[in-house]
Amino acid sequence: MCGIIGYIGDKPALPILIDGLKKLEYRGYDSAGVAVHNGKQININKAKGRLTVLEERIKHSQLNGTLGIGHTRWATHGEPSDINSHPHTNQLGDIAVVHNGIIENYMRLKSWLQREGYEFTSDTDTEVVAHIINYYYNGDLVEAVRNTLDRIEGSYALAVIAKNHPECMVVARKDSPLVIGLGEGENFIASDIPALLRYTRKVYFLEDKEIALICKDGVNIINQYGEEVKKEVFEVTWDVEAAEKGGYQHFMLKEIHEEPKALRDTLTSRIREGRIELSDIGITREQLEKVGKILIVACGTAYHAGIVGKYVIEKLVRIPVDAEIASEFRYRDPIINENNIVIIISQSGETADTLAAMRLCKEKGAKVIAITNVVGSTLAREADHVLYTWAGPEIAVASTKAYITQLLCLYLMALDFADKMGRISQEEYRQMIEEMQKLPELAQKVLDNKQIIQKCADETFNANSIFYIGRGLDYAVAVEGSLKLKEISYIHSEAYAAGELKHGTIALIEDGTPVVALATQKNLFEKTLSNIKEVKARGAFVIAVAVEGHAEIEMEVNRVIYIPPTHNMLAPILMVIPLQLYAYYVAVAKGCDVDKPRNLAKSVTVE
Ligand code: AGP
């Protein structure tokens, strides 16, 4: 997704812009550009491709100045090209704009501007913004931006600089994130905190429809009616190291290795003296008794965490749960009322479809609980209550540590609800907490056993298609394992409920087809073993994931990856780790760009 950076102060802006854009690369992009004000005029350079292309071009250009804005673009309107890259300007080139989001009514605005005599150079929706600001500009840049925002529909994080204003920039947001970093005699803007950490830990989060005038010595924020807005400074506690690669070849590998810590941090935040502390979520027994249904809504990996959540909540709490894909849910006129609890899951807290689903549920009166990893994200701010996953910044596009902490939050919630409803004994509750507290250590054991996973990857990375099978919770995790593999290795993959294979998909199994079979669920072990035999008989190369102590599986498969014993219901947290590592090693063996897979963005802030 697009990334925005901006600087005003006494230092040369360009290196700060480029450094910030590098920190935002994880969001995914296909082109990049910068605009720097040299005190007299605005100079722009932009290029299709990676930031290195832009850096190469900049070497031969004059981009001096202490005020600038930069952008990484993920194309929505108009193909990735130099022309369509941001910044965009008005005709004279004295107003420059970078934008993240989509201007939904841009066609109408473009026709109107063309009738007014404005000429367009790009195919983007963003270019209308520069022209409309020009249309309204009469010496007051903030007012021109405010009038422009009145005319545009859609989502935006915007940063604007103008030739006549060498000492300030104007920014605004609606439905796309924008953070203002506060320095001494300098200020910054960015789409996300990691881009600012090197310079400041003090930030303001801009809210929807707010506009900020940012100068080197101050920040003035107004709302859409022009009224002044006072904000609390937010102190960021992440350390800079946490946002860097720290010795690993890829962010994804580093983030998988951070899973024990992520689990520990998430547990510590919510377990006090052997009891789950969710009082801030404010769900009472009376409310739970009235709840007809719990909904879990999310996209991608977060949705897959929701599928596990469905199994676990239904099993423990005995309330029906639907896990829903946000982009489907929001458009199908779902049946929701004030008696529903809706759990919205999103690592970034900025996924457009997920946010839209959350708003829909709130409109219908349901109680919305967010599970998110990003403090201050739109989801965190707008949901009724938040359970943070303490995974730390996740930079790799493929979500790993966020997923297992999302699972942990769902377990905590399920156990807390079951306790409130009197659906489990105090003994079971205590045992489950004890098992949960062992998870960080057990996760470390899985990581320590990674050679066998690497071996499996080396043996199968040339496959055209890899299948994942499992039953119950094993199936719920198979779906995530399969997604992980396809997104980073580009190998076709499908996950199937093992019992469903014989209804069609088994026709695809031929000699040597790799099948990853998950067989961790005690009650379903024998059944899964039968399905393994079915695919093995058709020539599949079977890699099983099983719990230590089930050595009988070795007779039926080609390779076994063992996970340490844990409570049956908690097994997803441990069994997903080998699947993440397997996908990683396959992608590395294939020479893929693991952290930035093609066509994908870390944070999907457009529909
Ligand atoms: C995960 O590996 C994917 N890149 C993707 O499915 C992701 O989980 C999805 O886009 C949702 O993102 P969110 O958790 O930030 O809302």
Side-chain angles (χ1 to χ4, degrees):
M1 216 46 41
C2 305
I4 289 177
I5 184 82
Y7 174 77
I8 179 147
D10 292 325
K11 297 181 189 133
L14 187 60
I16 295 172
L17 299 181
I18 297 293
D19 176 61
L21 291 179
K22 285 182 181 163
K23 293 283 184 309
L24 296 173
E25 276 192 295
Y26 71 89
R27 297 167 69 85
Y29 68 104
D30 46 54
S31 53
V34 288
V36 180
H37 200 308
N38 68 5
K40 292 195 183 112
Q41 64 178 50
I42 297 170
N43 291 310
I44 291 181
N45 213 314
K46 49 191 195 173
K48 179 184 165 186
R50 292 274 171 201
L51 271 171
T52 44
V53 180
L54 179 68
E55 282 184 284
E56 196 49 43
R57 288 210 190 156
I58 283 169
K59 278 188 193 157
H60 314 291
S61 66
Q62 296 293 317
L63 283 169
N64 304 321
T66 57
L67 164 64
I69 51 179
H71 189 265
T72 44
R73 173 174 188 253
W74 191 69
T76 55
H77 295 71
E79 58 170 15
S81 68
D82 288 2
I83 295 276
N84 287 336
S85 311
H86 298 211
H88 290 283
T89 67
N90 61 336
Q91 258 161 266
L92 292 175
D94 49 20
I95 295 171
V97 175
V98 290
H99 166 226
N100 173 13
I102 290 179
I103 311 294
E104 286 169 4
N105 59 340
Y106 87 102
M107 289 298 282
R108 244 181 300 135
L109 293 169
K110 191 167 178 175
S111 308
W112 161 63
L113 288 161
Q114 281 168 330
R115 285 196 301 278
E116 292 286 330
Y118 286 84
E119 282 170 24
F120 282 74
T121 53
S122 77
D123 305 319
T124 65
D125 52 340
T126 303
E127 195 181 343
V128 297
V129 179
H131 292 307
I132 306 176
I133 295 173
N134 178 89
Y135 177 86
Y136 283 116
Y137 181 73
N138 60 7
D140 184 338
L141 189 58
V142 175
E143 215 33 42
V145 171
R146 195 157 76 90
N147 287 325
T148 302
L149 299 185
D150 277 347
R151 300 213 54 159
I152 62 182
E153 290 162 19
S155 59
Y156 52 79
L158 282 172
V160 185
I161 60 173
K163 180 183 167 189
N164 293 347
H165 301 266
E167 313 241 296
C168 70
M169 64 180 129
V170 177
V171 300
R173 74 152 269 175
K174 181 178 164 277
D175 296 333
S176 280
L178 199 72
V179 189
I180 301 170
L182 307 167
E184 296 288 325
E186 58 184 0
N187 287 307
F188 308 79
I189 54 151
S191 299
D192 201 357
I193 288 171
L196 301 175
L197 282 184
R198 189 163 171 189
Y199 310 102
T200 182
R201 293 183 165 276
K202 294 191 168 66
V203 301
Y204 285 147
F205 293 109
L206 209 60
E207 297 289 339
D208 275 357
K209 300 204 174 167
E210 288 178 346
I211 304 169
L213 173 68
I214 304 181
C215 305
K216 67 176 189 169
D217 292 317
V219 174
N220 291 315
I221 302 173
I222 56 169
N223 63 20
Q224 59 183 318
Y225 310 110
E227 297 154 347
E228 196 184 340
V229 176
K230 287 269 173 243
K231 277 199 185 285
E232 297 267 318
V233 176
F234 185 89
E235 192 83 36
V236 180
T237 51
W238 291 352
D239 73 39
V240 182
E241 268 298 298
E244 309 278 343
K245 246 186 251 174
Y248 288 95
Q249 199 188 343
H250 296 99
F251 278 114
M252 183 180 174
L253 189 61
K254 172 176 176 273
E255 287 160 10
I256 294 172
H257 280 82
E258 286 169 347
E259 289 180 336
K261 180 179 186 304
L263 289 169
R264 197 168 292 118
D265 290 349
T266 305
L267 282 168
T268 322
S269 73
R270 290 294 180 180
I271 297 185
R272 309 235 196 301
E273 293 166 7
R275 296 207 62 84
I276 296 166
E277 172 46 50
L278 289 183
S279 52
D280 54 317
I281 304 293
I283 303 277
T284 61
R285 179 183 181 134
E286 293 65 49
Q287 272 169 318
L288 286 167
E289 271 161 3
K290 278 194 233 145
V291 168
K293 190 184 271 181
I294 294 175
L295 294 156
I296 306 180
V297 188
C299 298
T301 287
Y303 162 68
H304 294 161
I307 302 176
V308 174
K310 170 185 164 65
Y311 281 71
V312 171
I313 297 173
E314 284 190 345
K315 179 92 182 150
L316 285 173
V317 193
R318 308 308 295 160
I319 293 176
V321 181
D322 280 350
E324 303 258 7
I325 295 170
S327 56
E328 286 296 311
F329 175 82
R330 63 180 287 199
Y331 291 115
R332 69 167 171 74
D333 195 10
I335 303 163
I336 323 162
N337 60 43
E338 57 284 357
N339 286 331
N340 290 130
I341 291 177
V342 183
I343 302 169
I344 306 270
I345 312 176
S346 170
Q347 187 284 130
S348 61
E350 301 294 349
T351 302
D353 284 318
T354 307
L355 291 178
M358 172 202 49
R359 288 172 185 145
L360 177 68
C361 295
K362 283 190 76 175
E363 252 170 56
K364 301 215 174 205
K367 192 170 182 82
V368 173
I369 303 170
I371 296 180
T372 184
N373 195 37
V374 180
V375 177
S377 60
T378 307
L379 180 61
R381 292 200 306 275
E382 292 189 20
D384 295 312
H385 300 288
V386 188
L387 233 98
Y388 284 111
T389 50
W390 292 101
E394 194 178 65
I395 307 294
V397 166
S399 184
T400 53
K401 59 179 180 170
Y403 171 79
I404 62 168
T405 52
Q406 286 161 358
L407 295 187
L408 197 51
C409 285
L410 288 163
Y411 287 125
L412 289 168
M413 221 185 288
L415 200 52
D416 182 61
F417 290 178
D419 179 45
K420 286 196 170 105
M421 298 278 285
R423 297 269 152 84
I424 57 168
S425 70
Q426 283 312 294
E427 185 50 21
E428 284 171 306
Y429 179 89
R430 193 189 54 75
Q431 272 176 8
M432 189 92 165
I433 300 263
E434 263 178 34
E435 289 296 318
M436 276 182 172
Q437 286 178 316
K438 288 183 201 155
L439 286 171
E441 197 188 320
L442 299 181
Q444 187 57 54
K445 280 196 179 155
V446 179
L447 290 171
D448 293 342
N449 192 24
K450 55 180 177 271
Q451 288 81 354
I452 171 74
I453 304 166
Q454 194 158 10
K455 181 175 184 317
C456 295
D458 290 344
E459 289 171 323
T460 50
F461 75 93
N462 273 326
N464 293 324
S465 209
I466 298 183
F467 292 86
Y468 288 69
I469 60 169
R471 286 169 176 260
L473 283 170
D474 286 332
Y475 168 60
V477 178
V479 178
E480 171 57 11
S482 171
L483 174 70
K484 215 83 307 173
L485 182 83
K486 53 192 151 201
E487 72 179 321
I488 60 169
S489 76
Y490 318 141
I491 294 178
H492 165 256
S493 173
E494 283 183 50
Y496 261 85
E500 182 67 10
L501 273 179
K502 60 172 94 56
H503 298 286
T505 312
I506 202 160
L508 297 175
I509 306 295
E510 52 189 16
D511 219 19
T513 306
V515 173
V516 179
L518 307 183
T520 74
Q521 297 298 293
K522 284 187 201 108
N523 53 330
L524 296 165
F525 184 77
E526 293 302 331
K527 300 248 173 244
T528 308
L529 212 53
S530 305
N531 301 128
I532 289 174
K533 287 179 190 166
E534 286 163 11
V535 292
K536 195 77 180 61
R538 280 143 186 98
F541 181 89
V542 180
I543 302 167
V545 178
V547 180
E548 281 166 17
H550 284 272
E552 64 269 38
I553 201 167
E554 288 174 23
M555 308 291 292
E556 312 297 343
V557 304
N558 300 79
R559 303 279 172 263
V560 190
I561 301 165
Y562 286 111
I563 59 165
T566 182
H567 191 294
N568 221 20
M569 228 181 282
L570 300 177
I573 288 194
L574 299 181
M575 82 174 109
V576 79
I577 301 172
L579 304 189
Q580 294 167 342
L581 284 170
Y582 175 67
Y584 172 80
Y585 289 126
V586 168
V588 171
K590 287 192 70 189
C592 299
D593 190 348
V594 175
D595 284 335
K596 293 182 214 106
R598 68 185 181 206
N599 306 340
L600 295 180
K602 179 65 181 165
S603 182
V604 186
T605 55
V606 291
E607 297 188 42

